[in-house]
Amino acid sequence: MKSAKHALVVGGGVIGLTSAFQLALHGWRVTLFDPNPGGGATWAAAGMIAPIAEIGPGEESNYQLQRGAVDAWRSFASDLHDVTQKDLVIVEKGTLLFGWDGSDRRLVDQFAQIATDFGVVPRRVSMGDEPAMFEGVSPRISDGLLIGGDAWLDPDQAVALVSEANTALGVTVVDEVVVKVCSDGTRVEAVTASDSFVGDIGIIATGASALPSGATSSGGHTVRPVHGITLRVRGLDRSAQPMIRSFVKGGTFYMVSRPGGYNVLGASSEERRESGARVGEVQRLLRDALDVVPALETAVVLETREGNRPASDDLRPFFEVLGDGRWAWSSGHFRHGVTLAPIAAGEVLRFAEGVA
Ligand SMILES: Cc1cc2nc3c(=O)[nH]c(=O)nc-3n(C[C@H](O)[C@H](O)[C@H](O)COP(=O)(O)OP(=O)(O)OC[C@H]3O[C@@H](n4cnc5c(N)ncnc54)[C@H](O)[C@@H]3O)c2cc1C
């Protein structure tokens, strides 16, 4: 049965958009605020849903959170299909992980141990046995680990499809920044430069941006921006193969190949708020790309995209109910916001239904 309850969603990145969809799908009237939906960190994201390849020492709880992400996206895609009759493409070919030099290969071995400790056993593959998997890769890289279960989607397609579904479900988009929020215990209010809007509950999903005035965390949560770029190039088509991830001279490089030879190369990671892709970070990314995948030499550079990953103090996402319980803040998704979006949206729906 349709509810007349009204939700205000501040921020239209992947977290706000998917939250708005879940709410609208379950009968909520939704107003979403963003001057540029999909234009934050979501714009830069490669779209990897790679809970396993992204395992890091000390990140077990993050891994536990993400391990259901591919299934969560499949279920979300099915709901999207019901509304739009269109398919969200989710490609599950795993990740091929390797190291560039001797010390990078030791990092691969350490990764294998960590993954095994987590109960995931990657398969060793060699260029000799699986040449197609190593297409375009430097001949000095002769073997690697195949990590099954990892997947990717195209965040541009996801944003477009969720936005289309939201429109079909009657979500109103206000293309303005929310400057202030408040609540009187029974209703919430969001104020923009030109108007004010009232609802029953409010969600703040502003990524790495500061909270609007009037919203304060009593749970001690903070977010800081971790700037990153991805480069888009057209050339080598590895879309039938696993994603590539490589340790290279102590850093990491990844490549997600989509059909037609559209490749996303990533990613830099710098603790800074200013925007702009720096020459140095582009140069380092291209250097790593050519070291690991020399076949990219003749690829055509399409564009650079940048965004600020929302990082919390402990690098874990959080969902905090604010003040008198009608506003909630969903952020801190850091390197995994695309991966976690349907799970985060589920949390938003549970909160909303709990208040209503
Ligand atoms: C280079 C790079 C590569 C990445 N690759 C991946 C990947 O492969 N897989 C993965 O899972 N994650 C990846 N991420 C991380 C992922 O992009 C983020 O975790 C995710 O985008 C966070 O989503 P969000 O909606 O919280 O924030 P954002 O996408 O930043 O969206 C926040 C939105 O809020 C709006 N906003 C802010 N303040 C206000 C306000 N006051 N009023 C109204 N609107 C407001 C902004 O305009 C923006 O659109 C990557 C990130 C980067 C930078």
Side-chain angles (χ1 to χ4, degrees):
M1 193 172 60
K2 285 264 171 193
S3 160
K5 298 279 182 185
H6 185 191
L8 308 182
V9 178
V10 184
V14 70
I15 302 297
L17 286 170
T18 51
S19 298
F21 174 75
Q22 273 297 355
L23 290 164
L25 189 68
H26 288 84
W28 285 74
R29 189 155 70 84
V30 180
T31 303
L32 177 113
F33 302 85
D34 198 317
N36 184 20
T42 305
W43 173 245
M48 292 177 296
I49 311 169
I52 304 168
E54 294 249 336
I55 293 176
E59 288 193 311
E60 176 158 10
S61 56
N62 254 346
Y63 166 63
Q64 297 303 349
L65 202 61
Q66 290 178 50
R67 58 186 299 180
V70 176
D71 286 345
W73 265 113
R74 290 203 189 287
S75 163
F76 192 89
S78 162
D79 288 340
L80 275 179
H81 186 271
D82 288 346
V83 177
T84 62
Q85 308 305 311
K86 292 182 184 163
D87 290 323
L88 175 65
V89 178
I90 299 170
V91 179
E92 190 176 330
K93 293 199 179 290
T95 305
L96 181 61
L97 174 73
F98 37 64
W100 164 248
D101 61 17
S103 59
D104 293 323
R105 282 194 287 280
R106 277 194 290 283
L107 291 174
V108 174
D109 292 340
Q110 281 170 17
F111 172 88
Q113 189 53 55
I114 293 167
T116 305
D117 291 347
F118 278 29
V120 180
V121 184
R123 180 162 73 87
R124 285 238 171 238
V125 289
S126 72
M127 193 179 267
D129 291 341
E130 307 267 7
M133 250 184 228
F134 289 81
E135 186 188 353
V137 172
S138 166
R140 67 179 278 164
I141 297 168
S142 56
D143 63 5
L145 293 179
L146 180 63
I147 303 156
D150 285 349
W152 60 262
L153 54 72
D154 174 357
D156 292 356
Q157 197 217 355
V159 164
L161 209 49
V162 179
S163 300
E164 181 181 330
N166 284 348
T167 302
L169 291 171
V171 173
T172 303
V173 178
V174 176
D175 60 354
E176 286 188 272
V177 168
V178 168
V179 291
K180 183 179 165 203
V181 299
C182 53
S183 165
D184 65 3
T186 55
R187 308 279 280 165
V188 295
E189 187 181 357
V191 180
T192 67
S194 67
D195 211 340
S196 102
F197 301 79
V198 172
D200 296 286
I201 61 131
I203 303 297
I204 300 176
T206 49
S209 300
L211 284 170
S213 143
T216 45
S217 163
S218 53
H221 289 119
T222 58
V223 280
R224 65 181 200 282
V226 178
H227 185 266
I229 63 164
T230 46
L231 265 162
R232 317 291 164 124
V233 304
R234 191 175 299 285
L236 177 67
D237 186 344
R238 279 186 46 92
S239 57
Q241 302 304 331
M243 295 177 280
I244 283 178
R245 178 175 293 262
S246 179
F247 293 112
V248 47
K249 296 159 203 157
T252 52
F253 162 77
Y254 60 74
M255 171 170 162
V256 182
S257 195
R258 300 198 194 127
Y262 182 99
N263 293 295
V264 184
L265 314 179
S268 63
S269 184
E270 297 183 347
E271 298 266 349
R272 65 176 166 104
R273 186 174 290 277
E274 319 83 69
S275 59
R278 291 178 173 158
V279 172
E281 68 186 325
V282 174
Q283 188 263 344
R284 281 187 291 279
L285 182 47
L286 284 174
R287 182 200 61 197
D288 291 349
L290 288 176
D291 280 349
V292 173
V293 189
L296 288 172
E297 173 70 33
T298 54
V300 173
V301 176
L302 301 174
E303 62 176 323
T304 305
R305 293 191 184 185
E306 58 159 337
N308 286 324
R309 304 172 183 90
S312 65
D313 283 346
D314 61 3
L315 301 184
R316 280 176 54 77
F318 58 84
F319 183 83
E320 181 184 348
V321 179
L322 305 176
D324 63 15
R326 289 196 171 259
W327 279 101
W329 184 21
S330 180
S331 188
H333 299 89
F334 192 38
R335 316 194 310 268
H336 306 123
V338 174
T339 305
L340 289 167
I343 295 170
E347 206 162 8
V348 163
L349 180 64
R350 280 192 296 282
F351 161 72
E353 290 182 337
V355 176

